[in-house]
Amino acid sequence: MDVRLKAVVLVILTFLRISDAVLPGNPKVIDMTYTFDGTTIYWPTAKSFLRTNVFTNQTAAGYWYEAAEMEAAEHGGTHLDAPSHFSRNKWRNDDIPIERLMGPAVVVDMTSKAAADVDYQVTAQDFQDWERTHGRIPDGCLLFVNTGWGKKWPNKLQYLGTDTKNTSLLHFPGIHPDGARWLVQNRGMHAVGIDTASIDYGQSTLFENVAHSDKLPTKGAIVYALPMKIGDGSGGPIRMVAILGNAIGAAGTVKPMAGLLCSLLVLLFTLIH
């Protein structure tokens, strides 16, 4: 192959690798999911995460192979509560439109009140006070309540209030029924998430055990919360990420990259002929 041709091909491949390696605009990405392993916190009466090794070794054929089996309750770790979890004939896990599991995030900071009262319940008044400072909770958003409880993960005693199966000993913040009712009746968010084990304060949809919500700005992030698509599931583990920093407007940077690639391809075509 001609030296000039090789050079052009290498340049094109370099730009292709760069464009595939980063999101447009190179935004910051925050992982909002706790790792699923032996330390993952589940509801006290639920089955915990168990990973059983099947094979981890060099095979007789000479290549490396790893595989394992896993089992756990639907509701544990960073997870989704489908509407059917507590409402008959409502959406199950695989019924939820994918569009409702992603969108602009707003974060309501309740860390001070939760620090003062382990059983604090976020009220309608709290949400209204937040709006007076930050504006109306937008339709189609994902609303996150940050209580600061994530700092206690994965210490089960601190996070749940008990490391036993006795649910009467549970203590952690949640959302008061009047707060939840006000949100449902007056605002159009697509989902609500919290950094504790349940929306209901220690005594019970939604996203629960959300990781690192304290790293999100009050407004401006885009969150994707994609659950394992379990048929007829009442919930399931999710991989949730937040995109910060020109997450939407940066898409415009694709056009200059596409134009450059087109120019390089034209040059390559010219050299070949």
Side-chain angles (χ1 to χ4, degrees):
M1 183 184 290
D2 183 88
V3 174
R4 292 177 300 170
L5 183 57
K6 287 182 179 179
V8 174
V9 170
L10 288 173
V11 171
I12 292 175
L13 291 175
T14 299
F15 276 101
L16 284 173
R17 290 182 65 185
I18 292 172
S19 63
D20 288 342
V22 297
L23 292 170
N26 197 28
K28 182 178 181 180
V29 180
I30 296 177
D31 189 349
M32 300 178 68
T33 302
Y34 292 117
T35 299
F36 283 84
D37 57 21
T39 68
T40 303
I41 296 174
Y42 279 75
W43 198 252
T45 56
K47 183 178 181 62
S48 296
F49 182 85
L50 177 64
R51 180 182 181 275
T52 304
N53 182 59
V54 174
F55 189 90
T56 304
N57 211 329
Q58 201 79 10
T59 68
Y63 60 88
W64 182 261
Y65 180 71
E66 291 188 17
E69 296 173 345
M70 62 182 186
E71 53 183 317
E74 290 178 323
H75 302 273
T78 306
H79 70 279
L80 164 80
D81 278 7
S84 64
H85 188 34
F86 283 107
S87 298
R88 179 178 294 183
N89 297 325
K90 299 299 183 181
W91 281 339
R92 297 181 183 277
N93 188 320
D94 54 328
D95 296 322
I96 302 172
I98 195 73
E99 295 83 4
R100 298 184 70 89
L101 300 172
M102 58 187 74
V106 298
V107 180
V108 178
D109 185 357
M110 287 285 112
T111 53
S112 296
K113 292 186 176 181
D117 180 1
V118 66
D119 291 317
Y120 188 74
Q121 300 178 74
V122 184
T123 65
Q125 188 62 55
D126 288 322
F127 291 122
Q128 292 163 20
D129 290 344
W130 184 91
E131 287 194 333
R132 271 190 281 275
T133 301
H134 303 288
R136 181 184 173 93
I137 295 169
D139 292 346
C141 76
L142 305 185
L143 172 65
F144 293 93
V145 175
N146 174 32
T147 68
W149 236 241
K151 292 181 172 60
K152 303 175 185 295
W153 185 282
N155 186 311
K156 186 180 294 186
L157 180 59
Q158 293 182 17
Y159 191 80
L160 295 178
T162 180
D163 55 4
T164 73
K165 293 184 180 296
N166 187 347
T167 56
S168 68
L169 299 177
L170 292 171
H171 290 284
F172 51 80
I175 298 179
H176 192 280
D178 89 314
R181 189 176 301 111
W182 183 84
L183 285 175
V184 171
Q185 294 177 350
N186 297 280
R187 296 295 179 263
M189 64 276 141
H190 280 172
V192 177
I194 195 167
D195 59 345
T196 68
S198 179
I199 292 293
D200 191 7
Y201 74 111
Q203 307 289 336
S204 255
T205 55
L206 308 140
F207 307 132
E208 294 171 338
N209 297 323
V210 173
H212 306 138
S213 60
D214 58 324
K215 295 183 179 180
L216 269 61
T218 302
K219 289 183 175 180
I222 304 295
V223 168
Y224 299 84
L226 304 181
M228 181 186 294
K229 194 174 181 181
I230 301 172
D232 290 333
S234 66
I238 58 176
R239 187 62 188 268
M240 181 184 294
V241 297
I243 312 297
L244 282 68
N246 206 20
I248 299 176
T253 59
V254 172
K255 291 183 178 179
M257 180 65 73
L260 177 59
L261 290 175
C262 287
S263 298
L264 291 171
L265 288 171
V266 169
L267 178 58
L268 174 60
F269 181 81
T270 302
L271 290 172
I272 293 175
H273 291 78

Short mmCIF file of all heavy atoms in Angstrom, two decimals, residues 147-177:
data_model
loop_
_atom_site.label_atom_id
_atom_site.label_comp_id
_atom_site.label_asym_id
_atom_site.label_seq_id
_atom_site.Cartn_x
_atom_site.Cartn_y
_atom_site.Cartn_z
N THR A 147 -30.82 12.01 51.25
CA THR A 147 -30.87 12.10 52.71
C THR A 147 -29.48 12.00 53.34
O THR A 147 -29.35 12.16 54.55
CB THR A 147 -31.74 10.96 53.29
OG1 THR A 147 -31.07 9.70 53.08
CG2 THR A 147 -33.11 10.93 52.63
N GLY A 148 -28.47 11.69 52.53
CA GLY A 148 -27.14 11.49 53.06
C GLY A 148 -26.90 10.08 53.56
O GLY A 148 -25.80 9.78 54.06
N TRP A 149 -27.90 9.20 53.38
CA TRP A 149 -27.78 7.84 53.91
C TRP A 149 -26.77 6.99 53.14
O TRP A 149 -26.30 5.96 53.65
CB TRP A 149 -29.16 7.16 53.90
CG TRP A 149 -29.56 6.66 55.25
CD1 TRP A 149 -29.81 5.37 55.61
CD2 TRP A 149 -29.74 7.44 56.44
NE1 TRP A 149 -30.15 5.29 56.94
CE2 TRP A 149 -30.10 6.56 57.48
CE3 TRP A 149 -29.62 8.79 56.73
CZ2 TRP A 149 -30.37 6.99 58.78
CZ3 TRP A 149 -29.88 9.23 58.01
CH2 TRP A 149 -30.24 8.33 59.01
N GLY A 150 -26.43 7.40 51.94
CA GLY A 150 -25.46 6.64 51.16
C GLY A 150 -24.11 6.52 51.84
O GLY A 150 -23.36 5.57 51.59
N LYS A 151 -23.79 7.48 52.71
CA LYS A 151 -22.50 7.44 53.42
C LYS A 151 -22.43 6.25 54.38
O LYS A 151 -21.35 5.86 54.82
CB LYS A 151 -22.28 8.75 54.18
CG LYS A 151 -22.06 9.96 53.27
CD LYS A 151 -21.83 11.21 54.07
CE LYS A 151 -21.42 12.39 53.18
NZ LYS A 151 -22.43 12.71 52.18
N LYS A 152 -23.58 5.66 54.72
CA LYS A 152 -23.61 4.54 55.64
C LYS A 152 -23.45 3.18 54.93
O LYS A 152 -23.27 2.15 55.57
CB LYS A 152 -24.91 4.55 56.45
CG LYS A 152 -25.15 5.85 57.22
CD LYS A 152 -26.51 5.84 57.90
CE LYS A 152 -26.82 7.18 58.56
NZ LYS A 152 -25.92 7.49 59.69
N TRP A 153 -23.59 3.16 53.62
CA TRP A 153 -23.47 1.92 52.84
C TRP A 153 -22.02 1.45 52.83
O TRP A 153 -21.11 2.26 52.70
CB TRP A 153 -23.95 2.20 51.41
CG TRP A 153 -23.99 1.01 50.52
CD1 TRP A 153 -22.94 0.40 49.89
CD2 TRP A 153 -25.15 0.26 50.16
NE1 TRP A 153 -23.37 -0.68 49.16
CE2 TRP A 153 -24.73 -0.79 49.31
CE3 TRP A 153 -26.51 0.36 50.47
CZ2 TRP A 153 -25.62 -1.71 48.76
CZ3 TRP A 153 -27.39 -0.55 49.92
CH2 TRP A 153 -26.94 -1.57 49.08
N PRO A 154 -21.73 0.14 53.00
CA PRO A 154 -22.65 -1.00 53.11
C PRO A 154 -22.80 -1.52 54.54
O PRO A 154 -23.01 -2.72 54.74
CB PRO A 154 -21.96 -2.04 52.24
CG PRO A 154 -20.50 -1.81 52.51
CD PRO A 154 -20.35 -0.34 52.75
N ASN A 155 -22.68 -0.65 55.54
CA ASN A 155 -22.85 -1.07 56.92
C ASN A 155 -24.34 -1.27 57.20
O ASN A 155 -25.09 -0.32 57.35
CB ASN A 155 -22.26 -0.03 57.87
CG ASN A 155 -22.27 -0.48 59.32
OD1 ASN A 155 -23.27 -0.94 59.83
ND2 ASN A 155 -21.13 -0.32 59.98
N LYS A 156 -24.77 -2.51 57.26
CA LYS A 156 -26.20 -2.83 57.36
C LYS A 156 -26.82 -2.25 58.64
O LYS A 156 -27.93 -1.72 58.61
CB LYS A 156 -26.40 -4.34 57.31
CG LYS A 156 -27.87 -4.76 57.28
CD LYS A 156 -28.03 -6.26 57.22
CE LYS A 156 -27.50 -6.83 55.92
NZ LYS A 156 -27.78 -8.29 55.80
N LEU A 157 -26.10 -2.32 59.76
CA LEU A 157 -26.64 -1.82 61.02
C LEU A 157 -26.88 -0.31 60.94
O LEU A 157 -27.94 0.19 61.37
CB LEU A 157 -25.68 -2.15 62.17
CG LEU A 157 -26.10 -1.67 63.56
CD1 LEU A 157 -27.44 -2.27 63.96
CD2 LEU A 157 -25.03 -2.03 64.60
N GLN A 158 -25.93 0.42 60.38
CA GLN A 158 -26.10 1.87 60.26
C GLN A 158 -27.12 2.24 59.20
O GLN A 158 -27.90 3.19 59.37
CB GLN A 158 -24.75 2.52 59.94
CG GLN A 158 -23.73 2.42 61.06
CD GLN A 158 -22.43 3.13 60.71
OE1 GLN A 158 -22.39 3.95 59.79
NE2 GLN A 158 -21.37 2.82 61.45
N TYR A 159 -27.13 1.50 58.09
CA TYR A 159 -27.97 1.85 56.95
C TYR A 159 -29.44 1.51 57.20
O TYR A 159 -30.34 2.28 56.84
CB TYR A 159 -27.46 1.11 55.71
CG TYR A 159 -28.05 1.56 54.40
CD1 TYR A 159 -27.60 2.71 53.76
CD2 TYR A 159 -29.07 0.83 53.80
CE1 TYR A 159 -28.13 3.12 52.56
CE2 TYR A 159 -29.61 1.23 52.58
CZ TYR A 159 -29.14 2.37 51.97
OH TYR A 159 -29.68 2.77 50.76
N LEU A 160 -29.69 0.35 57.82
CA LEU A 160 -31.07 -0.10 58.06
C LEU A 160 -31.55 0.16 59.49
O LEU A 160 -32.76 0.18 59.74
CB LEU A 160 -31.19 -1.60 57.78
CG LEU A 160 -30.97 -2.06 56.34
CD1 LEU A 160 -31.09 -3.58 56.27
CD2 LEU A 160 -31.98 -1.41 55.39
N GLY A 161 -30.61 0.33 60.41
CA GLY A 161 -30.98 0.43 61.81
C GLY A 161 -30.93 -0.90 62.52
O GLY A 161 -31.05 -0.96 63.75
N THR A 162 -30.76 -1.98 61.76
CA THR A 162 -30.64 -3.31 62.33
C THR A 162 -29.91 -4.22 61.36
O THR A 162 -30.00 -4.03 60.15
CB THR A 162 -32.04 -3.91 62.65
OG1 THR A 162 -31.88 -5.22 63.21
CG2 THR A 162 -32.87 -4.01 61.38
N ASP A 163 -29.20 -5.20 61.90
CA ASP A 163 -28.58 -6.20 61.06
C ASP A 163 -29.24 -7.56 61.29
O ASP A 163 -28.67 -8.61 61.02
CB ASP A 163 -27.07 -6.28 61.28
CG ASP A 163 -26.71 -6.51 62.75
OD1 ASP A 163 -27.63 -6.68 63.58
OD2 ASP A 163 -25.50 -6.51 63.07
N THR A 164 -30.48 -7.51 61.82
CA THR A 164 -31.27 -8.71 62.03
C THR A 164 -32.40 -8.77 61.02
O THR A 164 -32.56 -7.86 60.19
CB THR A 164 -31.87 -8.72 63.46
OG1 THR A 164 -32.94 -7.76 63.53
CG2 THR A 164 -30.80 -8.38 64.48
N LYS A 165 -33.23 -9.80 61.10
CA LYS A 165 -34.39 -9.92 60.22
C LYS A 165 -35.64 -9.29 60.82
O LYS A 165 -36.74 -9.37 60.25
CB LYS A 165 -34.65 -11.40 59.91
CG LYS A 165 -33.58 -12.07 59.07
CD LYS A 165 -33.95 -13.49 58.74
CE LYS A 165 -32.87 -14.16 57.89
NZ LYS A 165 -32.71 -13.50 56.57
N ASN A 166 -35.50 -8.65 61.97
CA ASN A 166 -36.63 -8.03 62.67
C ASN A 166 -36.94 -6.67 62.06
O ASN A 166 -36.27 -5.68 62.34
CB ASN A 166 -36.31 -7.89 64.15
CG ASN A 166 -37.50 -7.42 64.97
OD1 ASN A 166 -38.51 -6.97 64.42
ND2 ASN A 166 -37.38 -7.51 66.28
N THR A 167 -37.97 -6.59 61.20
CA THR A 167 -38.27 -5.35 60.49
C THR A 167 -38.83 -4.26 61.41
O THR A 167 -38.89 -3.09 61.01
CB THR A 167 -39.28 -5.62 59.35
OG1 THR A 167 -40.45 -6.23 59.89
CG2 THR A 167 -38.66 -6.52 58.30
N SER A 168 -39.23 -4.63 62.63
CA SER A 168 -39.72 -3.61 63.57
C SER A 168 -38.58 -2.73 64.07
O SER A 168 -38.81 -1.67 64.67
CB SER A 168 -40.43 -4.26 64.75
OG SER A 168 -39.51 -4.97 65.57
N LEU A 169 -37.34 -3.15 63.82
CA LEU A 169 -36.18 -2.39 64.27
C LEU A 169 -35.61 -1.48 63.19
O LEU A 169 -34.60 -0.81 63.40
CB LEU A 169 -35.09 -3.36 64.74
CG LEU A 169 -35.46 -4.27 65.92
CD1 LEU A 169 -34.31 -5.23 66.24
CD2 LEU A 169 -35.84 -3.46 67.15
N LEU A 170 -36.25 -1.45 62.01
CA LEU A 170 -35.74 -0.63 60.91
C LEU A 170 -35.88 0.86 61.22
O LEU A 170 -36.90 1.31 61.74
CB LEU A 170 -36.51 -0.94 59.62
CG LEU A 170 -36.29 -2.33 59.02
CD1 LEU A 170 -37.27 -2.58 57.90
CD2 LEU A 170 -34.86 -2.47 58.52
N HIS A 171 -34.83 1.61 60.88
CA HIS A 171 -34.85 3.07 61.06
C HIS A 171 -34.04 3.71 59.94
O HIS A 171 -32.83 3.51 59.84
CB HIS A 171 -34.25 3.47 62.41
CG HIS A 171 -35.10 3.09 63.58
ND1 HIS A 171 -36.24 3.77 63.94
CD2 HIS A 171 -34.97 2.07 64.47
CE1 HIS A 171 -36.78 3.22 65.01
NE2 HIS A 171 -36.03 2.17 65.35
N PHE A 172 -34.71 4.47 59.11
CA PHE A 172 -34.06 5.29 58.08
C PHE A 172 -35.10 6.25 57.50
O PHE A 172 -36.30 6.03 57.63
CB PHE A 172 -33.46 4.42 56.96
CG PHE A 172 -34.39 3.39 56.37
CD1 PHE A 172 -35.34 3.76 55.43
CD2 PHE A 172 -34.32 2.07 56.76
CE1 PHE A 172 -36.19 2.82 54.87
CE2 PHE A 172 -35.17 1.12 56.22
CZ PHE A 172 -36.11 1.50 55.27
N PRO A 173 -34.66 7.35 56.89
CA PRO A 173 -35.60 8.34 56.38
C PRO A 173 -36.38 7.84 55.16
O PRO A 173 -35.98 6.89 54.48
CB PRO A 173 -34.70 9.52 55.99
CG PRO A 173 -33.38 9.25 56.64
CD PRO A 173 -33.26 7.77 56.74
N GLY A 174 -37.50 8.50 54.90
CA GLY A 174 -38.31 8.18 53.73
C GLY A 174 -39.17 9.37 53.34
O GLY A 174 -38.88 10.51 53.70
N ILE A 175 -40.23 9.10 52.62
CA ILE A 175 -41.16 10.16 52.19
C ILE A 175 -42.49 9.95 52.90
O ILE A 175 -43.05 8.84 52.89
CB ILE A 175 -41.36 10.13 50.66
CG1 ILE A 175 -40.02 10.39 49.96
CG2 ILE A 175 -42.39 11.17 50.23
CD1 ILE A 175 -40.10 10.35 48.44
N HIS A 176 -43.00 11.00 53.51
CA HIS A 176 -44.28 10.94 54.22
C HIS A 176 -45.41 10.71 53.22
O HIS A 176 -45.35 11.20 52.08
CB HIS A 176 -44.51 12.25 54.97
CG HIS A 176 -45.64 12.20 55.95
ND1 HIS A 176 -46.96 12.33 55.57
CD2 HIS A 176 -45.63 12.03 57.31
CE1 HIS A 176 -47.72 12.24 56.64
NE2 HIS A 176 -46.95 12.06 57.70
N PRO A 177 -46.46 9.98 53.62
CA PRO A 177 -47.59 9.76 52.70
C PRO A 177 -48.15 11.05 52.12
O PRO A 177 -48.52 11.09 50.94
CB PRO A 177 -48.62 9.06 53.59
CG PRO A 177 -47.80 8.31 54.59
CD PRO A 177 -46.61 9.20 54.87
#
